[in-house]
Amino acid sequence: AQEWTSSLPGVTNWRDVGEMRSGTDDEAERPETPVVLFDGVCNLCNGVVRFLLPRDPAGRLRFASLQSDAGRRLLERHGLPTAEFDSIVLVDGDRVYTKSGAVLRIASLLGWPYRVATVARVIPTSVRDRAYDVVAEHRYEWFGQKDQCMIPDEDVSDRFLE
């Protein structure tokens, strides 16, 4: 298990973060729109981003890889580890979502029909996150990985922080 000490009150392990408010009060440090942080070398994660882009035609979601400077700054800003972090993260205003919480929040932001996925909230977070962990643990083995982070197409490059 990864050891990590949080700067957030009441959080002793990064896995406890789930859905919680971040430690920042500075409005300038919060992105204006929700930002999805993803593993930029993971084929599954890149596929999820490619899935999300056309399903968010209004451009409500922005994106940054966990490996990018922007991604690392957001992780640091919200008290999350920047090394060996294996979760999708959604930074939405002053709230931070990880693992299954991030997936369900993203589904709710996409609206119908994706919002239907939020019925999974009836499943205990520990069970949802364990299923997430199994996939995260095997994502490179099952889906492969790239040598470098994805470079967005020109028509959506403005949706990426870097």
Side-chain angles (χ1 to χ4, degrees):
Q2 178 178 350
E3 291 298 318
W4 172 69
T5 304
S6 171
S7 60
L8 300 174
V11 176
T12 58
N13 182 304
W14 73 265
R15 296 180 198 289
D16 296 336
V17 175
E19 302 172 25
M20 63 178 300
R21 297 198 175 274
S22 72
T24 182
D25 291 325
D26 185 355
E27 286 287 328
E29 288 191 348
R30 282 188 256 158
E32 294 177 18
T33 59
V35 177
V36 177
L37 301 177
F38 65 99
D39 181 347
V41 297
C42 167
N43 287 340
L44 172 63
C45 306
N46 282 294
V48 168
V49 171
R50 285 192 305 274
F51 175 86
L52 293 173
L53 284 165
R55 285 157 183 83
D56 178 31
R60 288 190 61 202
L61 296 173
R62 304 226 17 228
F63 302 89
S65 75
L66 292 166
Q67 296 87 351
S68 70
D69 289 340
R72 282 194 294 270
R73 281 194 308 272
L74 278 171
L75 291 172
E76 288 172 356
R77 198 172 289 147
H78 294 283
L80 296 170
T82 58
E84 298 181 36
F85 195 64
D86 63 353
S87 173
I88 189 170
V89 177
L90 178 71
V91 177
D92 187 5
D94 63 352
R95 292 185 75 65
V96 176
Y97 302 83
T98 62
K99 298 186 180 193
S100 67
V103 171
L104 294 177
R105 178 64 180 150
I106 291 166
S108 76
L109 290 171
L110 291 177
W112 178 258
Y114 310 101
R115 184 175 296 215
V116 171
T118 62
V119 300
R121 288 190 192 277
V122 300
I123 301 168
T125 302
S126 61
V127 173
R128 290 190 333 246
D129 282 351
R130 182 62 198 132
Y132 182 97
D133 288 340
V134 168
V135 174
E137 185 178 325
H138 297 285
R139 69 188 183 277
Y140 295 145
E141 175 187 339
W142 293 345
F143 300 97
Q145 74 182 97
K146 299 180 180 304
D147 293 330
Q148 61 182 2
C149 290
M150 110 181 215
I151 299 172
D153 294 335
E154 205 172 297
D155 60 330
V156 293
S157 62
D158 61 331
R159 306 269 307 272
F160 288 77
L161 298 184
E162 286 186 347

